[in-house]
Amino acid sequence: MLNGLVKWARGKSPWVCHLNCGSCNGCDIEIVAALMPRFDLERFGVLLEGSPRHADVLMTTGPVTRQIRDRVIRVYDQVAEPKFVVAVGTCGVSGAPFYPGYNVLGGVDSVIPVDMYVPGCPARPDAIAYGVLKLLGTLDPKADALVKEIESRRDTTGLVYTPSEMAEMRQANETSLGQTAARS
Amino acid sequence: MAKLDFPVGPQHPALKEPENLRFSVDGELVVDADIRIGYVHRSIERSCSERNFVQDLYLCERVCGICSNAHTQNYCQAVEAIAGVEIPERAQWIRMIMHEFERIHSHLLWLGVAGHEIGFESLFMYVWRDREVIQDILEMVSGNRGHYAMTMLGGVRYDIAPEMVTKIREGLAFLRQRAEYYADIATSEQTFLERTSGVGVVSGETCVQLGAVGPVLRASGVAFDVRRTFPYLQYDKVEFPVRTSELCDVLGRTLVRVQEVIDACDICTQCLDMMPEGDVNMRFPRKVPEGEAVARIEAQRGEVIYYVRSNGTDVPERVKIRTPTLANLPASLEMVKGGYIADIPIAFASIDPCFSCADRMVELNDVSSGDSRTMTWAELVKLSRRKS
């Protein structure tokens, strides 16, 4: 029964911890903008929490720099189970355009596992809100119903990617890159 | 009482960006402060000399997500100076408009964050709601809410259409009115005054000695604005006052910024009135002739300096970026010294710090001994590993 309660509470009010891994601030301000009156992520119970120990969702922005790598792992370890990671911004997906710099290791998933990718440079607040909601949909049936409703109302193609979709896309990319290389 | 040292960061609720601050405190008073930056170092300057001039434009834009337009504009000014290219006049006016739009958005963003830092959450919410107006204008003009990619080598990417002008004017009128209201709040609201007046004091003389720039310098009574002192684009044709304040504290910096929002609205309106018809961009050569140039502009946080050296190919030999936050950091450490622990967040935030801008590698060389060296890629990687 307690487990059910915890799951219900988590789905109703996920606490988000924002972690800047070397971002340019573009996505960071869009995350804050998503919590503002216009987009108001807080109406879904999302709360921005300072301490990773109290958070359910780790929202990372930017590529992982060599300096921050160990700190990212440490912060990730501090988040209580079950934990979710949302990589916000194209940098968080692949490290571009800073990759391959001498101090940049690439996307966030090169260091910690990622549960939802929100690409964009910077990612739009509505895409961030949709990504968080989609993540909630896996926990809470009501959030899932909301996601379905959003999908029926507007085109959500390319707004967010799940890890399996991202893997598929990368595979397709590599194949096409291989074909281009073979042609030239 | 014994001194106590405590570190803050790199990941800390009060910090939006990773940086490490060390404070020495004696009871409630801060005795000493030090900072370690470099967590957001993304090897931009080195990457610039590996990509061509057009690719660098997008890389320089991503130095900072808040003053992205200032960076591209500055980079373009430097490269165009080397190439000896004069961009179309309408493009210059549009660049100015974008420049001022960005100032409005950044200063409002800062005002909201300042409200948050002093625990004035309703101010934070109100300001960020109003900020969406300028975000919508930016999106309408450039197509994106951040990283507008509006400036390109040889002009600007998009023209401002006549139907946009009406919407822009409406938005600016609204923002101007709101900025006046915030200026009123900053001077009359007791909650705000108590937390900002006399906090983070740094004199004009110290500011000059420590090389502070922008609103920090102006709020300490030094009237220095690159737009006025070294006019670029068409800034010599528009009228605007250089806002200063003798207060030298957080309140002074707030007032300077809020008044600059009002001025920026006025400058934009003047630009829209005076803008001639014509082309907005021109063909720019792929290869830039040999030479070097320094460009300086007044971004919202202060003076940004770009140094670009070209060796006649399509790849720059060196791009050096000096950002306002890096210049303001020594002054910010002076601000927190002698204050209370509770005032650290607002005193520190009052310089509008942006560490993604500031994380450039700086090596001090003794000029008198003629010592200078070039680092190879392998050396840079080694240094980066050692520092992490």
Side-chain angles (χ1 to χ4, degrees):
Chain A
M1 191 205 132
L2 195 66
N3 276 344
L5 186 72
V6 168
K7 198 180 169 194
W8 172 82
R10 193 173 288 126
K12 289 284 179 240
S13 180
W15 285 15
V16 173
C17 176
H18 166 224
L19 176 65
N20 183 328
C21 312
S23 153
C24 71
N25 271 339
C27 296
D28 306 81
I29 54 170
E30 295 300 55
I31 289 176
V32 183
L35 292 158
M36 286 304 107
R38 190 187 199 178
F39 299 97
D40 202 8
L41 211 49
E42 284 181 3
R43 71 197 138 123
F44 303 115
V46 175
L47 190 73
L48 200 63
E49 170 59 38
S51 169
R53 289 177 200 277
H54 301 164
D56 305 301
V57 181
L58 194 64
M59 212 177 243
T60 66
T61 52
V64 180
T65 62
R66 217 182 280 277
Q67 308 277 317
I68 205 86
R69 184 184 170 272
D70 295 345
R71 282 89 181 178
V72 171
I73 295 170
R74 202 148 87 198
V75 168
Y76 178 76
D77 287 341
Q78 284 175 0
V79 180
E81 289 283 353
K83 46 194 158 195
F84 303 94
V85 177
V86 181
V88 179
T90 309
C91 301
V93 176
S94 64
F98 308 112
Y99 188 78
Y102 58 83
N103 205 29
V104 178
L105 298 166
V108 178
D109 54 4
S110 61
V111 181
I112 51 174
V114 174
D115 299 279
M116 194 64 79
Y117 297 89
V118 185
C121 190
R124 294 180 59 85
D126 44 345
I128 297 170
Y130 175 67
V132 174
L133 201 61
K134 203 168 172 184
L135 198 64
L136 285 187
T138 58
L139 298 171
D140 183 22
K142 271 191 187 162
D144 195 38
L146 209 55
V147 170
K148 296 252 160 49
E149 199 192 320
I150 292 171
E151 279 168 358
S152 69
R153 280 194 195 173
R154 61 171 281 187
D155 183 21
T156 55
T157 336
L159 271 190
V160 298
Y161 291 93
T162 58
S164 57
E165 283 168 351
M166 187 52 77
E168 236 172 72
M169 212 163 70
R170 281 181 179 159
Q171 188 67 41
N173 252 350
E174 262 169 38
T175 323
S176 74
L177 277 177
Q179 281 166 355
T180 322
R183 266 205 302 275
S184 61
Chain B
M1 206 165 132
K3 272 201 302 178
L4 179 73
D5 289 355
F6 72 95
V8 176
Q11 206 276 336
H12 190 270
L15 306 172
K16 303 288 169 289
E17 287 174 276
E19 71 264 4
N20 188 322
L21 292 156
R22 273 161 216 180
F23 299 107
S24 294
V25 291
D26 183 357
E28 275 288 306
L29 288 172
V30 181
V31 184
D32 201 8
D34 196 12
I35 188 167
R36 180 201 189 281
I37 57 171
Y39 296 100
V40 205
H41 183 82
R42 287 151 300 166
S43 40
I44 291 177
E45 287 177 14
R46 174 67 205 227
S47 304
C48 274
S49 35
E50 301 205 334
R51 303 174 192 189
N52 66 33
F53 281 100
V54 179
Q55 289 170 322
D56 283 352
L57 187 60
Y58 300 97
L59 197 57
C60 288
E61 182 158 37
R62 279 151 186 83
V63 168
C64 176
I66 300 170
C67 49
S68 56
N69 189 63
H71 282 279
T72 46
Q73 200 169 307
N74 207 343
Y75 170 78
C76 285
Q77 268 182 33
V79 176
E80 281 156 7
I82 302 173
V85 169
E86 179 82 15
I87 63 164
E89 204 188 329
R90 190 176 171 84
Q92 294 188 14
W93 287 99
I94 295 177
R95 277 190 188 182
M96 261 172 82
I97 292 173
M98 286 304 286
H99 199 36
E100 295 306 319
F101 278 172
E102 202 176 54
R103 197 180 311 278
I104 298 172
H105 123 78
S106 173
H107 281 346
L108 287 180
L109 185 149
W110 177 83
L111 186 62
V113 172
H116 174 70
E117 299 288 9
I118 61 171
F120 197 172
E121 292 289 330
S122 38
L123 178 71
F124 178 40
M125 292 286 175
Y126 271 116
V127 174
W128 277 67
R129 188 199 61 188
D130 296 336
R131 188 179 153 268
E132 287 297 325
V133 175
I134 191 73
Q135 289 296 100
D136 280 349
I137 293 178
L138 280 166
E139 190 176 0
M140 177 180 72
V141 173
S142 71
N144 204 0
R145 287 170 55 93
H147 295 315
Y148 324 105
M150 191 66 172
T151 321
M152 58 188 272
L153 290 168
V156 289
R157 199 168 303 276
Y158 305 112
D159 196 1
I160 294 180
E163 64 268 20
M164 286 179 188
V165 175
T166 348
K167 282 185 188 166
I168 292 172
R169 280 183 200 275
E170 277 169 23
L172 288 175
F174 172 76
L175 285 166
R176 195 180 190 286
Q177 183 202 337
R178 293 302 295 178
E180 276 168 0
Y181 171 65
Y182 293 131
D184 185 40
I185 283 188
T187 44
S188 63
E189 177 71 40
Q190 203 57 33
T191 333
F192 198 86
L193 290 172
E194 294 278 332
R195 283 305 310 273
T196 54
S197 186
V199 173
V201 180
V202 61
S203 70
E205 204 183 329
T206 322
C207 272
V208 173
Q209 276 171 1
L210 296 173
V213 290
V216 178
L217 186 64
R218 289 197 287 277
S220 294
V222 184
F224 178 79
D225 190 322
V226 184
R227 291 178 294 173
R228 176 58 58 77
T229 323
F230 304 101
Y232 50 97
L233 297 175
Q234 303 283 343
Y235 273 108
D236 46 349
K237 288 187 189 155
V238 292
E239 280 177 21
F240 64 96
V242 175
R243 297 287 187 179
T244 55
S245 166
E246 297 295 331
L247 294 168
C248 305
D249 56 4
V250 178
L251 181 62
R253 280 162 224 140
T254 313
L255 291 174
V256 166
R257 288 199 174 95
V258 174
Q259 283 160 348
E260 278 184 10
V261 173
I262 301 173
D263 296 342
C265 292
D266 292 344
I267 295 177
C268 285
T269 322
Q270 289 181 49
C271 289
L272 290 171
D273 291 338
M274 290 157 85
M275 201 162 59
E277 290 297 315
D279 287 339
V280 293
N281 51 36
M282 56 183 280
R283 223 182 131 72
F284 194 83
R286 200 165 64 84
K287 284 184 182 172
V288 176
E290 212 170 306
E292 56 183 356
V294 173
R296 52 202 296 192
I297 64 168
E298 183 76 24
Q300 51 272 50
R301 293 191 175 92
E303 185 186 14
V304 185
I305 302 175
Y306 264 63
Y307 165 79
V308 181
R309 187 168 71 223
S310 164
N311 53 6
T313 60
D314 60 346
V315 178
E317 200 173 89
R318 180 82 170 94
V319 177
K320 173 73 195 140
I321 307 165
R322 207 293 307 265
T323 54
T325 304
L326 193 63
N328 280 336
L329 279 178
S332 77
L333 295 177
E334 287 301 316
M335 284 170 200
V336 294
K337 282 178 201 168
Y340 291 109
I341 295 176
D343 289 334
I344 292 175
I346 182 63
F348 202 71
S350 71
I351 65 156
D352 197 359
C354 170
F355 290 92
S356 57
C357 281
D359 280 358
R360 315 261 78 82
M361 203 172 90
V362 179
E363 201 181 83
L364 295 177
N365 278 331
D366 189 0
V367 184
S368 57
S369 67
D371 177 38
S372 70
R373 67 194 181 100
T374 314
M375 291 181 93
T376 62
W377 181 269
E379 276 172 346
L380 284 167
V381 173
K382 206 172 147 191
L383 181 74
S384 154
R385 287 219 173 104
R386 203 182 75 220
K387 293 275 180 193
S388 59

